Amino acid sequence: ALAGEAKVIDSARKMISSGDLEQALMMAEAVIEADGDSTPALQLQLDVLQSLLARAKSTHQTFSEIAWLQSQITQVQAKLAGK
């Protein structure tokens, strides 16, 4: 992991804590775009997606949003499992 990557991931984790999930997801995706093999970034992406899913379920969002989040989680889990 690059030093800059670690800072971005740390910032994104703080965003998760403050509830800024969409921004944290964009940051995770930016790191993955630069380094698709980054385990910390994939784990961050998974954590954000799981937080978004929990929020969607608790606020009774549409089935399509929940289904999309679940499919994204499955994809990221598969990438992490393949490492």
Side-chain angles (χ1 to χ4, degrees), residues 10-38:
D10 185 53
S11 294
R13 291 222 169 266
K14 290 176 183 161
M15 289 175 183
I16 295 172
S17 298
S18 66
D20 194 358
L21 301 178
E22 291 81 4
Q23 185 67 29
L25 183 60
M26 289 190 332
M27 292 178 77
E29 290 171 349
V31 174
I32 291 165
E33 185 75 28
D35 178 8
D37 210 33
S38 169

Side-chain angles (χ1 to χ4, degrees), residues 2-3 17-18 21 39 41 47 51 58-59 63 67 72:
L2 303 168
S17 298
S18 66
L21 301 178
T39 299
D47 293 346
S51 295
S58 71
T59 58
F63 174 76
Q72 294 297 303

Side-chain angles (χ1 to χ4, degrees), residues 4-5 8 17 36 41 62 72-73 75:
E5 179 181 306
V8 171
S17 298
T62 63
Q72 294 297 303
I73 288 167
Q75 289 177 28

